[in-house]
Amino acid sequence: MSDTRPIGVFDSGLGGLTVVKALQKLLPSESIVYFGDTARVPYGNKSKELIIEYSNEITNFLIKNDAKLIVVACNTASALALDTLKKNVSVPVLGVINPGAREATKATLNKHIGIIGTVATVNSGAYENAICDIDKSIIISAQACPLFVPLAEEGWLEGDVVEKIAAHYLTPFNEKEIDTLILGCTHYPLLKNVITNQVDEKTILIDSAEAVAREVHVQLSIFDLLNNSGQKGLLTCYVTDIPMRFETVGKRFLGSSLDNVQTVHEV
Ligand code: DGL
């Protein structure tokens, strides 16, 4: 049996397109309906209550649009709203925290893992809890990097200013002797080069986007939801504000052009 319904993916904005890119690479036949809450981004400095409220609204919207599985591509929403969403909806819901934590625990050799993310993600302790559930002996250091999101959004991906900001956030990790660093935010894979320059050269960077795509594959197989048509899937995007900017900046995140972007005024 082949299930042609789309996978629903959402993020606070356009950063979640890094997850869409990983999904398209791994599961090219799957159609995707993407929701970017561009009117209310960033989520990373908002309260848990508000993040849950927005995430519930968006999940309902995706279900109305026939999503067969929901991916919470936003690390902040995954950290704070995933448990609530799982209780509220009847389709499988996946976040990015557990797949990222699993990859990191597999990768670390010296059992020292670093985590970077938004203020809300780091304060939630969600990655620490997920890692601890797998291996209690792992030592974890976490650092919020709030300026990385605007830098990525503006396309400031290299140069002196960005290196200095990255050094400010990341050099303390070198004293902690981490060998693995989780990029716990949708936007950070775009800053991979700068991040690599500031940490020990042997540090393994964990990109949750690729890890979550593999997990989606597993879940679709388990629930018999795979699209086996062999045809290329469609990407449809909904945003809550300014589709033009979403299209131009989104290209950088997705690695290909974006059309079919529609604005939703009422979620
Ligand atoms: N999408 C958010 C995340 O992955 C980053 C942007 C925001 O703060 O909303 O945590």
Side-chain angles (χ1 to χ4, degrees), residues 14 38 237-250 258 260-265:
L14 42 78
T38 47
C237 295
Y238 294 95
V239 293
T240 41
D241 197 21
I242 324 187
M244 277 290 282
R245 184 174 150 75
F246 182 86
E247 279 168 28
T248 40
V249 186
L258 267 169
N260 217 0
V261 181
Q262 297 165 47
T263 311
V264 180
H265 296 290

Side-chain angles (χ1 to χ4, degrees), residues 11-13 15-16 41-45 73-77 118 121 149 184-187:
D11 181 37
S12 53
V41 68
Y43 284 10
N45 51 14
C74 178
N75 285 255
T76 306
T118 64
T121 299
V149 168
C185 174
T186 45
H187 290 58

Side-chain angles (χ1 to χ4, degrees), residues 117 119 144-153 156 162 165 168-169 188 191:
V119 171
C145 308
L147 291 174
F148 279 178
V149 168
L151 287 172
E153 291 267 340
W156 283 42
V162 192
I165 293 170
H168 172 77
Y169 291 140
Y188 299 177
L191 291 159

Side-chain angles (χ1 to χ4, degrees), residues 12 16 20 22 43 53 93 96 99 126 133 141 175 185 187 192-193:
S12 53
V20 171
Y43 284 10
E53 183 185 319
V93 187
V96 286
D133 281 348
S141 319
E175 279 161 33
C185 174
H187 290 58
K192 247 183 199 167
N193 288 343

